[in-house]
Amino acid sequence: MRMLGLDVGERRIGVAVCDAEERVAVPLTIIDRKTEDAASRVAEIARAEGAEAVVVGLPLSLDGSIGPQARAVEAFARDLKGAGVAIDFWDERLTTAQIERRPARGPRRGERREAAPRRRARDDVVAAAILQNYIDARRARAAGAGR
């Protein structure tokens, strides 16, 4: 099943998509929440990509509780449901840190290796990591149920 993955932030929403076989998630786009009707835009992308569900990263606190940012994400998800989009949540704790700790492929053009700054993870790349973790967990559960 094709799905979208979302990394919902206050200013931007990272969007990723997976293939129909649920093998790999890839970054797709970034939505600017200041200039676009984000829920409608996500619903439009879901239709265009043939996505049957949207996996929304839920930023739980480290102790697993629902804090202010997670409540804001849940409110956005309610807007998506109102737009007719099927939603599933995925615990995204530490996903951004996981992406930012990956070794860089090298300095950007014009940078020296030793001068390369620590890069902030792009929102669409974080969305792809959220979706990939979700589909990997689904695959693991299915394999465990088949035993």
Side-chain angles (χ1 to χ4, degrees), residues 29 31 37 65-66 72-73 92-93 96 99 101-102 106 114 116 126 133 135:
T29 191
I31 297 170
D37 176 4
S65 63
I66 295 177
V73 169
E92 71 162 51
R93 280 181 283 183
T96 301
I99 297 301
R101 280 195 303 265
R102 286 184 183 169
E114 63 275 2
V126 175
N133 291 339
I135 61 179

Side-chain angles (χ1 to χ4, degrees), residues 16-33:
V17 65
C18 73
D19 59 322
E21 293 77 28
E22 298 179 29
R23 289 182 302 224
V24 65
V26 295
L28 184 62
T29 191
I30 298 172
I31 297 170
D32 185 338
R33 290 186 77 176

Side-chain angles (χ1 to χ4, degrees), residues 14-60:
V15 182
V17 65
C18 73
D19 59 322
E21 293 77 28
E22 298 179 29
R23 289 182 302 224
V24 65
V26 295
L28 184 62
T29 191
I30 298 172
I31 297 170
D32 185 338
R33 290 186 77 176
K34 302 288 186 194
T35 61
E36 298 184 66
D37 176 4
S40 295
R41 181 73 177 116
V42 170
E44 176 185 303
I45 292 169
R47 283 189 298 277
E49 293 293 327
E52 297 177 41
V54 175
V55 176
V56 179
L58 190 61
L60 298 174

Side-chain angles (χ1 to χ4, degrees), residues 87-108:
I87 300 293
D88 202 358
F89 289 103
W90 183 254
D91 179 358
E92 71 162 51
R93 280 181 283 183
L94 304 177
T95 304
T96 301
Q98 168 193 0
I99 297 301
E100 288 178 344
R101 280 195 303 265
R102 286 184 183 169
R105 294 181 184 224
R108 290 185 178 152

